[in-house]
Amino acid sequence: MRARHLTSLLLLGISLTGCAGGNKEPVASDSPPPTAEEIAYYDCLKKQGVAIVYTDYGAPREDKSKPWNDEAHKTCAPMLPPPPKPQPATPAQLAAARKESACLRAEGISWYPDPDPVTAQIDDRKGTPEQWSSLKRDHLDALKKCRPDG
């Protein structure tokens, strides 16, 4: 289970790296090439029978259309590269995230957490899956009010 979470974090971190850069559409060349650790990890998964596909820029990825292979992930977990270091938010980003949290709580979403003081990210573990689903389903007006550009 831990490997699944680490894999998700790794993939999220890699995918977010290619999305930086303002309003321009990301292209394959914006993404960094796969690291030696990533390649070793995916080679291990492949040897364990996991189907691997390659992105347009050559990075290995699991074929999500295939079943999850828990045993392979446990075997290869020690090879998993460490997650990328979080990028600190700018003071403006942190202020905006704090304002959004306060606004959502003022709109009646009392459980909505404060942002991380370094990254300005919201930790989705601080709410239940039901609360997060309800937020998107039942509180659209509050989200629109508190996230005017989101």
Side-chain angles (χ1 to χ4, degrees):
M1 188 68 154
R2 181 172 168 247
R4 179 178 287 186
H5 292 296
L6 290 173
T7 302
S8 298
L9 286 173
L10 169 69
L11 295 176
L12 175 65
I14 291 168
S15 66
L16 290 177
T17 336
C19 295
N23 294 330
K24 71 176 188 152
E25 196 62 32
V27 294
S29 61
D30 291 339
S31 299
T35 64
E37 294 161 320
E38 270 185 285
I39 292 170
Y41 174 72
Y42 284 101
D43 282 348
C44 176
L45 288 176
K46 190 174 186 177
K47 288 175 186 169
Q48 298 295 319
V50 175
I52 302 297
V53 295
Y54 294 88
T55 64
D56 291 340
Y57 58 96
R61 297 288 176 262
E62 282 183 67
D63 184 346
K64 298 292 183 187
S65 68
K66 305 295 183 202
W68 180 262
N69 184 333
D70 207 33
E71 201 55 44
H73 286 88
K74 285 179 185 174
T75 300
C76 299
M79 301 180 95
L80 192 62
K85 290 184 180 176
Q87 295 295 314
T90 65
Q93 291 169 324
L94 186 54
R98 286 179 174 150
K99 182 179 176 182
E100 177 184 310
S101 290
C103 177
L104 288 169
R105 286 194 295 269
E107 291 295 312
I109 307 163
S110 60
W111 59 268
Y112 197 83
D114 283 323
D116 179 277
V118 175
T119 65
Q121 298 295 312
I122 298 296
D123 184 351
D124 63 0
R125 295 171 298 177
K126 293 188 177 177
T128 66
E130 293 79 19
Q131 287 173 317
W132 289 107
S133 293
S134 171
L135 178 67
K136 295 172 185 166
R137 183 184 61 242
D138 302 332
H139 301 286
L140 232 61
D141 290 338
L143 285 171
K144 287 178 183 175
K145 178 180 178 183
C146 299
R147 292 181 186 165
D149 57 344

